[in-house]
Amino acid sequence: MSDGHTAQPHGTPGHSYHLVNPSPWPAVGAVAAFLTAFGAVHWWHGGTPIITGIGLVLILVTMFVWWRDVIREAQVEHAHTPVVRHGLRVGMGLFIASEVMFFVAFFWAFFNAGLLINPGVTVWPPATIHPMETWGIPFLNTLVLLSSGLAVNWAHHSLRHGNRRGFIQGLAIASALGILFLSLQMHEYGAATFGFRQGVYPSVFYMATGFHGFHVTVGTIFLIVNLVRAIKGDFTEQQHVGFEAAAWYWHFVDVVWIFLFVWIYWWGNSGGAS
């Protein structure tokens, strides 16, 4: 969100923008990303996973210290003026827009295979595939995730009205429901009767729902971090961009899951293209 960790000293030209000092974290993050990608290719061709592990650890360290510095800029240096906060919101919005297009690719693949089925294939999913029961765990997970979204809204409403206790409770409930969702999805995968390599349907199913699960994991961590900060006394009624980013991300995860449930679990399981 910000490419540095300390604000310019007092006495800089009078404006509302935050001019940050040089920071090592962009360079460290770039090296970490390279090590992760290079190490993964090396590992998949029979090499050692050590390089990938080092890269992943560096990525996690970079994320922690960089975001720690952004929080310091806001809480200690008071560098996040209204115009800076607006820029952070725009950046988060553009990031979510790019994530939308990421999932569009999976839905495109699913509909391409389901509506433009190959000659000789008359049903979708293929007859050899036994899809998940729509109104079992997928429907339960839908209720869980929508409930978590309501908890986030409650937390936001509480914060805007100075109710710190409600804010913390809402975040705690949303985080717990996120963990419950992931637990149910892992159980669902364990009960699946088809594997990733058994055709187009399983491949797209696991890619779409698996990456959504990854986003739920990231979002849950995001909420837990905000919960810890809330307990420590961070965020005010007027300044809570970090929480807003988490809330937007969580609602994005909710919307993607609704599309997954309707089109993959419901329509895709009903022979809609047969």
Side-chain angles (χ1 to χ4, degrees):
M1 291 184 180
S2 174
D3 54 359
H5 61 281
T6 57
Q8 291 287 345
H10 295 292
T12 50
H15 54 67
S16 299
Y17 295 94
H18 178 206
L19 302 181
V20 297
N21 286 335
S23 167
W25 309 132
V28 174
V31 171
F34 172 78
L35 288 176
T36 302
F38 175 81
V41 173
H42 180 67
W43 180 18
W44 296 336
H45 285 78
T48 173
I50 294 177
I51 300 176
T52 303
I54 294 173
L56 289 174
V57 170
L58 277 176
I59 287 177
L60 293 176
V61 170
T62 302
M63 292 168 62
F64 177 82
V65 294
W66 199 343
W67 283 330
R68 176 207 63 190
D69 292 346
V70 173
I71 293 172
R72 182 183 298 163
E73 292 168 356
Q75 299 293 328
V76 179
E77 302 171 6
H78 304 290
H80 288 183
T81 61
V83 69
V84 172
R85 297 198 295 273
H86 173 73
L88 294 174
R89 292 188 185 98
V90 171
M92 189 65 191
L94 291 174
F95 169 71
I96 291 175
S98 72
E99 292 288 276
V100 169
M101 299 311 298
F102 177 79
F103 280 99
V104 163
F106 295 124
F107 284 107
W108 191 315
F110 186 81
F111 287 127
N112 180 72
L115 296 174
L116 304 176
I117 52 182
N118 296 321
V121 179
T122 58
V123 294
W124 180 259
T128 56
I129 299 297
H130 300 283
M132 304 292 184
E133 172 58 42
T134 303
W135 304 106
I137 291 179
F139 180 66
L140 178 59
N141 258 346
T142 302
L143 297 179
V144 168
L145 211 53
L146 291 178
S147 298
S148 71
L150 290 176
V152 168
N153 283 344
W154 172 34
H156 195 185
H157 181 270
S158 298
L159 176 61
R160 289 173 63 91
H161 290 80
N163 182 1
R164 173 70 54 172
R165 181 178 179 183
F167 177 46
I168 293 174
Q169 289 176 339
L171 279 173
I173 293 173
S175 302
L177 290 174
I179 294 172
L180 176 59
F181 176 93
L182 293 171
S183 301
L184 290 171
Q185 188 160 41
M186 285 190 289
H187 176 75
E188 178 189 58
Y189 281 178
T193 60
F194 51 86
F196 182 83
R197 299 183 180 183
Q198 289 183 233
V200 175
Y201 178 91
S203 297
V204 177
F205 172 85
Y206 282 117
M207 289 292 287
T209 60
F211 269 111
H212 176 265
F214 171 76
H215 283 72
V216 172
T217 302
V218 172
T220 301
I221 295 172
F222 208 169
L223 291 176
I224 292 173
V225 170
N226 276 270
L227 174 60
V228 173
R229 293 185 61 194
I231 294 173
K232 291 173 59 179
D234 288 358
F235 306 119
T236 65
E237 293 91 331
Q238 295 78 28
Q239 187 168 338
H240 48 266
V241 175
F243 169 73
E244 284 182 317
W248 291 3
Y249 188 85
W250 197 248
H251 290 316
F252 157 71
V253 167
D254 285 346
V255 172
V256 171
W257 177 256
I258 291 173
F259 276 86
L260 287 171
F261 177 77
V262 170
W263 295 112
I264 293 184
Y265 284 102
W266 189 2
W267 179 85
N269 290 4
S270 64
S274 61

